[in-house]
Amino acid sequence: MARSVYVTGIGRGDGRQVVELGVMELLTRHVDRVGVFRPLVHTAAAGGPGTDHVVELLRGRYRIDLPSADLYGLTYEEATALQAERGVDELVSVLVERFRTLERKCQAMLVLGTDFADTSIPDELAFNARLANEFGAWVLPVVGGLRESADAVVAEVRNAYRAYTDLGCNTLAMVANRVTPADKQQIARRLTTRPPVPCYILPEEPALAAPTVAQVVQATGAEVLLGDATGLARDVRGFVFGGATLPTFLAALTEGAMVVTPGDRADLLVGTLAAHAASSPPIAGVLLTLGIRPGPDVMALAGRLAPGTPVVVAPEGSWVTAASLSGLEGRLTAASPRKAETALGLFELHVDTAELISRIELSRSERVTPMMFEHVLLERARADRRHVVLPEGTEERVLRAAEVLLRRNICDLTLLGDQDTIRRRAADLGVDLGLDTGAEERRAGGAVARIVDPATSPLRENFAEVYAKLREHRGVTAELAYDVVADVSYFGTLMVQEGLADAMVSGAVHSTAATIRPAFEIIKTAPGAAIVSSVFFMCLADRVLVYGDCAVNPAPDARQLADIAIQSAGTAAQFGVEPRVAMLSYSTGTSGSGADVDKVREATALVREQRPDLLVEGPIQYDAAVDPGVAATKLPGSQVAGRATVLVFPDLNTGNNTYKAVQRSAGAVAVGPVLQGLRKPVNDLSRGALVQDIVNTVAITAVQAQGRSER
């Protein structure tokens, strides 16, 4: 029977989607097959895939490969008719049967309770309690604290615990969500002993309550005149209604606001977009009313001023439009991935996930999928947050990755580059880096970012002195060093060297040489490391392998190959992969000869001599290293053959081609290259890196920095 968690509440407005998303994330870190089940769903949401916004968000984000219909029980209308005709026992029986059908296919289950909205279920709380009991699920009640006093929240949590416990439920924990941030500590203190289960307090997060521009368009029936999908996904943090003259109106603008003004006020439209282009301040978009479309010349100018920024026109006047916007709140949907990242960051910051998973009694699966590896990676980086410098602060992919890293509280960041350019670029992309006033309060305890311009930073002069001293044997003068350290790669590397950052990641637009040359000159190799090398984490369908060296050393000799093997084993162990090292060759054991095989044989002997504690085999062919059947024939009795986790290639040509072949042909996720052998972590990105690649590489680099700190 799968372990199940039933997330429920006591009324509307509790924002429990944050908790549902957080629990799903937690379950998928530990087991591969997690199912989601909503027993009752509204009619409009029952027509097939993509209809219930929370179920479909979880289904898409966590790649739940199950038919959509299996994830739902009945519609509320079907449930009401069945209950009226055959009684509540029959209704529960049908829902239990559908739940069990899905449960048999999964290792863990997340159940989404009824939403207390326009339902005809009498005593909805008792109904949820009975379903949870029949499903054999832990109950996780969520109490809403929006605009409630601390006294009211404490009372509601205790009452909800008592209600579910009296109905026979096994309560996993209690969650008070959307509480006033100033009351959080007081509420947590008062709930320390009563109820006698963990109580987690999540403060209200304005970014989650903010609707997107796309929601505004839908609510007002507006037509999009300008703007791309990224612009429509921006959060709307407020509304500014325009009717005053331009100078007066500009003073009223606030960051992230949506401007609402009649369509014939071209002056306000152009002035607002010009202010946005200058980041003073960046806005979410412009909503024109009265159905009036500005002329083509005005729209052409608007498009040039702020490319991607939405300009939409609503058919009604300002009063009717304002009424449509009243009470509009954000929702977690598959179309709002940024909100999902914010929600997960909030949950992980305020919930003791280790405590929660131990209470669920869910053991981690031996099978490691790419998603599980990624989850564990982010979890480890977050557990001991480090500071990473990103030299390519104006690059779109880096900015988008930075937003994810900050929302998930993975690490603190320094972005290098001109401050105005970075702010303007972030505004154009709709990226929130938390740089505005009030961000520190909103992200109390969470990851933060800052911008440093090497050209104007007061650190430049000191860095020039440090670099000149390091390179004086190469004839580098103070004047030359002053010019060199203005380069973002050198400046970022010096931040790491001088302890102003823990690590650096670059390479999205810079070459590998531009990224690692400063590290060779300034940080240098770690004690005991002969060379700097690299590995890729190859996430296959059911396991994670470590490939080295596929990116740095073209033709290592036997001693260098041994060093690569030892370093790769250490990197594997650091990231939870038990090192069993295969020294690859075109020959296995003693069956072959020649210079290339002899080099691998010598390297294997050196590894055994230097690290007798490591399991290592070589020379060995790839199939004998990873396939138990082949291993039983070619190297029977080997502790590595057929079970290798660290595969060391004899040269760069072999390694680079093999990792790319496995990546493309087997659909593996390749994370890296991860550099090893430096005193402090610096990692290089592929210039074709996607946003998620950058997120993963930064997380790996942060974990490497944790290891350096421990040593």
Side-chain angles (χ1 to χ4, degrees), residues 72 85 91 196 198 247 363 378 418 442 454 583 605 607 645-646 660:
Y72 301 99
E85 181 181 348
L91 169 60
S363 301
L378 301 186
D418 177 72
R442 292 204 320 274
M583 308 294 286
V607 173
T645 55
V646 178
K660 289 182 177 178

Side-chain angles (χ1 to χ4, degrees), residues 329-667:
E329 282 202 347
R331 294 202 313 172
L332 286 172
T333 69
S336 58
R338 295 168 64 211
K339 285 191 182 298
E341 299 295 349
T342 300
L344 286 171
L346 183 72
F347 182 86
E348 291 157 346
L349 189 61
H350 297 284
V351 173
D352 186 340
T353 54
E355 177 183 51
L356 198 60
I357 204 68
S358 69
R359 286 180 60 79
I360 298 172
E361 299 176 348
L362 190 66
S363 301
R364 194 179 295 277
S365 171
E366 291 184 6
R367 181 173 183 259
V368 180
T369 67
M371 183 181 293
M372 291 169 67
F373 178 77
E374 183 179 298
H375 289 338
V376 172
L377 175 62
L378 301 186
E379 185 178 16
R380 288 191 58 187
R382 187 185 305 109
D384 184 13
R385 204 167 65 229
R386 296 289 152 168
H387 178 186
V388 179
V389 58
L390 304 176
E392 298 157 325
T394 59
E395 163 61 25
E396 175 180 346
R397 291 165 294 157
V398 171
L399 288 170
R400 294 195 185 283
E403 183 182 39
V404 173
L405 292 161
L406 294 169
R407 287 178 181 243
R408 296 293 302 277
N409 300 302
I410 293 167
C411 60
D412 297 321
L413 298 173
T414 293
L415 298 166
L416 298 185
D418 177 72
Q419 182 143 183
D420 290 339
T421 302
I422 292 176
R423 286 181 175 273
R424 189 179 307 115
R425 185 69 171 134
D428 287 342
L429 296 170
V431 167
D432 178 15
L433 299 176
L435 298 168
D436 59 304
T437 304
E440 186 174 343
E441 288 76 11
R442 292 204 320 274
R443 283 192 174 139
V448 295
R450 62 173 179 163
I451 300 172
V452 174
D453 183 356
T456 60
S457 171
L459 294 170
R460 182 177 176 183
E461 189 169 334
N462 179 56
F463 283 177
E465 293 177 6
V466 171
Y467 183 70
K469 187 172 182 179
L470 286 170
R471 303 295 291 173
E472 60 184 352
H473 65 289
R474 293 286 187 175
V476 174
T477 63
E479 292 76 14
L480 177 59
Y482 189 76
D483 292 335
V484 169
V485 301
D487 177 88
V488 290
S489 297
Y490 277 91
F491 193 93
T493 304
L494 282 158
M495 285 186 67
V496 176
Q497 172 67 13
E498 294 299 289
L500 301 176
D502 297 306
M504 184 181 88
V505 174
S506 188
V509 292
H510 290 92
S511 68
T512 296
T515 298
I516 65 176
R517 184 186 297 115
F520 289 162
E521 294 180 1
I522 297 166
I523 294 176
K524 306 186 186 323
T525 56
I531 56 172
V532 174
S533 60
S534 73
V535 295
F536 278 89
F537 288 93
M538 302 299 295
C539 303
L540 305 174
D542 60 350
R543 54 187 157 168
V544 176
L545 301 178
V546 178
Y547 284 10
D549 172 9
C550 305
V552 178
N553 297 285
D557 60 27
R559 290 191 175 278
Q560 291 172 331
L561 202 58
D563 192 65
I564 291 169
I566 292 170
Q567 289 186 40
S568 300
T571 302
Q574 186 180 12
F575 289 91
V577 178
E578 183 182 352
R580 294 187 290 271
V581 184
M583 308 294 286
L584 298 177
S585 174
Y586 60 77
S587 172
T588 295
T590 59
S591 64
S593 61
D596 292 337
V597 180
D598 292 342
K599 179 182 77 169
V600 174
R601 187 173 288 117
E602 181 185 350
T604 305
L606 288 170
V607 173
R608 288 174 174 152
E609 177 185 327
Q610 296 172 32
R611 288 289 305 275
D613 56 306
L614 279 181
L615 294 177
V616 60
E617 190 69 72
I620 185 171
Q621 292 162 288
Y622 191 99
D623 58 349
V626 300
D627 189 315
V630 176
T633 301
K634 293 190 173 183
L635 278 177
S638 170
Q639 292 181 281
V640 173
R643 304 171 61 240
T645 55
V646 178
L647 297 112
V648 180
F649 295 91
D651 53 58
L652 185 62
N653 180 51
T654 308
N656 192 270
N657 278 295
T658 302
Y659 107 76
K660 289 182 177 178
V662 173
Q663 180 186 33
R664 301 300 178 187
S665 301

Side-chain angles (χ1 to χ4, degrees), residues 272-343:
T272 296
L273 294 178
H276 171 85
S279 297
S280 56
I283 60 170
V286 179
L287 173 60
L288 305 174
T289 62
L290 299 172
I292 299 175
R293 303 166 59 108
D297 291 343
V298 172
M299 293 305 298
L301 177 58
R304 289 194 296 271
L305 280 171
T309 298
V311 176
V312 304
V313 57
E316 305 292 346
S318 296
W319 177 260
V320 175
T321 300
S324 301
L325 299 174
S326 176
L328 186 63
E329 282 202 347
R331 294 202 313 172
L332 286 172
T333 69
S336 58
R338 295 168 64 211
K339 285 191 182 298
E341 299 295 349
T342 300

Side-chain angles (χ1 to χ4, degrees), residues 42-355:
H42 291 282
T43 303
T51 49
D52 182 273
H53 67 96
V54 179
V55 171
E56 294 307 320
L57 165 65
L58 299 177
R59 184 167 178 260
R61 185 180 181 90
Y62 297 103
R63 305 167 203 159
I64 300 175
D65 187 20
L66 294 166
S68 181
D70 290 358
L71 311 184
Y72 301 99
L74 300 170
T75 67
Y76 282 99
E77 290 76 10
E78 289 171 336
T80 301
L82 182 58
Q83 181 175 340
E85 181 181 348
R86 301 168 65 180
V88 67
D89 288 347
E90 183 63 23
L91 169 60
V92 171
S93 177
V94 170
L95 293 175
V96 169
E97 182 180 350
R98 297 195 176 183
F99 171 79
R100 296 292 180 215
T101 300
L102 180 62
E103 183 190 36
R104 283 191 287 270
K105 304 174 184 177
C106 303
Q107 296 168 292
M109 290 285 295
L110 171 64
V111 185
L112 314 181
T114 63
D115 57 13
F116 294 84
D118 302 321
T119 68
S120 54
I121 302 295
D123 197 354
E124 206 161 339
L125 187 151
F127 183 77
N128 281 293
R130 178 167 180 187
L131 285 183
N133 288 336
E134 297 289 354
F135 293 168
W138 285 102
V139 171
L140 183 57
V142 182
V143 171
L146 184 64
R147 291 186 287 273
E148 297 284 353
S149 68
D151 288 342
V153 173
V154 170
E156 287 290 349
V157 170
R158 290 173 176 168
N159 289 339
Y161 172 77
R162 190 177 305 113
Y164 280 103
T165 302
D166 290 348
L167 290 166
C169 295
N170 291 320
T171 305
L172 178 64
M174 298 295 300
V175 177
N177 190 31
R178 306 191 71 181
V179 305
T180 303
D183 293 338
K184 179 182 181 294
Q185 294 303 324
Q186 179 190 352
I187 294 170
R189 187 170 57 252
R190 293 173 62 183
L191 292 173
T192 300
T193 56
R194 281 193 310 130
V197 295
C199 294
Y200 305 119
I201 318 300
L202 276 61
E204 169 70 347
E205 171 54 68
L208 291 175
T212 62
V213 176
Q215 281 184 263
V216 170
V217 170
Q218 184 178 21
T220 59
E223 176 189 356
V224 179
L225 303 180
L226 290 176
D228 53 23
T230 299
L232 293 173
R234 293 180 187 176
D235 291 334
V236 178
R237 300 186 213 164
F239 296 95
V240 178
F241 288 81
T245 60
L246 182 59
T248 303
F249 179 68
L250 289 178
L253 291 179
T254 57
E255 186 161 342
M258 188 156 202
V259 170
V260 184
T261 187
D264 58 358
R265 291 296 304 270
D267 58 329
L268 296 185
L269 170 64
V270 173
T272 296
L273 294 178
H276 171 85
S279 297
S280 56
I283 60 170
V286 179
L287 173 60
L288 305 174
T289 62
L290 299 172
I292 299 175
R293 303 166 59 108
D297 291 343
V298 172
M299 293 305 298
L301 177 58
R304 289 194 296 271
L305 280 171
T309 298
V311 176
V312 304
V313 57
E316 305 292 346
S318 296
W319 177 260
V320 175
T321 300
S324 301
L325 299 174
S326 176
L328 186 63
E329 282 202 347
R331 294 202 313 172
L332 286 172
T333 69
S336 58
R338 295 168 64 211
K339 285 191 182 298
E341 299 295 349
T342 300
L344 286 171
L346 183 72
F347 182 86
E348 291 157 346
L349 189 61
H350 297 284
V351 173
D352 186 340
T353 54
E355 177 183 51

